[in-house]
Amino acid sequence: MILLDGKNVANKILANIKKEIIKAKTKPSLAVILVGQDPASQLYVKIKEKTCQKVKINLKKYEFADNTEQSKII
């Protein structure tokens, strides 16, 4: 049986992505919309923020209260 070191593979992929982003003429961005204070969503976005920082992707986070009307979010 062959064991896969997922963390090592993921780090190699992220390193390759970072190289491509540095060479690119335009930088990719990720926009995140958070509505409410769900801890799982907060954690998910925090992980995305850290990953974006590692690979030089711009991240814009929009946060809204859970009672915000859909029309305002749009």
Side-chain angles (χ1 to χ4, degrees), residues 10 12-22 28 55 57:
K12 287 180 183 179
I13 291 169
L14 289 175
N16 287 335
I17 290 171
K18 184 176 179 178
K19 286 178 191 176
E20 292 297 318
I21 290 172
I22 290 170
V55 297
I57 291 176

Side-chain angles (χ1 to χ4, degrees), residues 41-55:
S41 296
Q42 297 281 339
L43 177 61
Y44 180 80
V45 170
K46 186 175 181 179
I47 292 167
K48 296 302 161 210
E49 286 176 305
K50 287 181 181 181
T51 303
C52 285
Q53 287 175 351
K54 285 181 186 177
V55 297

Side-chain angles (χ1 to χ4, degrees), residues 1-42:
M1 178 163 97
I2 299 173
L3 292 177
L4 176 65
D5 183 355
K7 190 165 191 115
N8 187 33
V9 172
N11 287 334
K12 287 180 183 179
I13 291 169
L14 289 175
N16 287 335
I17 290 171
K18 184 176 179 178
K19 286 178 191 176
E20 292 297 318
I21 290 172
I22 290 170
K23 291 189 306 186
K25 292 180 182 178
T26 58
K27 301 296 180 200
S29 296
L30 175 65
V32 176
I33 299 171
L34 274 173
V35 180
Q37 297 293 319
D38 179 52
S41 296
Q42 297 281 339

Side-chain angles (χ1 to χ4, degrees), residues 33 35 64-74:
I33 299 171
V35 180
F64 298 93
D66 59 353
N67 61 350
T68 304
E69 292 182 20
Q70 182 179 356
S71 61
K72 182 172 180 178
I73 295 170
I74 293 172

